[in-house]
């Protein structure tokens, strides 16, 4: 005898997982956005340094911007890794639940 969950229970699981992902995304998405923006700022400010080769030719504001963005990246990287892990967990879980539930 094959036992399976009723369709309503599968839809309930899918809806609750989507709701949990949406609730947690309020915290994970800003962390990912902040880290991404500061990473781009870091790359843009350090690009001329590698192109020109000397720190003397760079303006002070550019060096301070690079240092500040580097500090923000270093401090936010553990939260960024956790946010990526949480988002990937929910993506896998939602994909598994969508495959398991019949399409209506």
């Amino acid at each position: 005898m094959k036992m399976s969950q009723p369709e309503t229970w599968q839809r309930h699981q899918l809806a609750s997982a989507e709701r949990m992902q949406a609730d947690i995304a309020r915290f994970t998405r800003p962390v990912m956005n902040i880290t991404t923006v500061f990473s781009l700022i870091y790359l843009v400010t350090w690009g001329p340094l590698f192109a020109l080769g000397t720190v003397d030719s760079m303006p002070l504001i550019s060096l301070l911007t690079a240092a500040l963005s580097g500090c923000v990246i270093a401090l936010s990287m553990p939260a960024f890794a956790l946010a990526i892990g949480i988002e990937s967990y929910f993506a896998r879980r939602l994909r598994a639940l969508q495959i398991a539930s019949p399409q209506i």
Side-chain angles (χ1 to χ4, degrees), residues 42-54 57-59 62:
Y42 182 78
L43 288 174
V44 168
T45 54
W46 278 106
L49 175 66
F50 290 123
L52 300 173
T54 62
S57 62
M58 287 189 68
S62 180

Side-chain angles (χ1 to χ4, degrees), residues 1 13 18 68:
M1 181 166 98
Q13 281 184 322
E18 287 174 347
L68 178 67

Side-chain angles (χ1 to χ4, degrees), residues 3-66:
M3 301 197 53
S4 65
Q5 297 175 340
E7 287 180 34
T8 53
W9 178 251
Q10 290 175 350
R11 284 194 303 261
H12 173 72
Q13 281 184 322
L14 181 61
S16 63
E18 287 174 347
R19 181 65 186 169
M20 283 190 300
Q21 194 268 341
D23 288 343
I24 291 175
R26 290 184 304 151
F27 303 107
T28 59
R29 297 263 163 80
V31 169
M32 294 187 324
N33 290 340
I34 288 170
T35 306
T36 302
V37 167
F38 277 97
S39 296
L40 290 174
I41 292 170
Y42 182 78
L43 288 174
V44 168
T45 54
W46 278 106
L49 175 66
F50 290 123
L52 300 173
T54 62
V55 177
D56 297 335
S57 62
M58 287 189 68
L60 181 62
I61 190 72
S62 180
L63 291 173
L64 291 175
T65 304

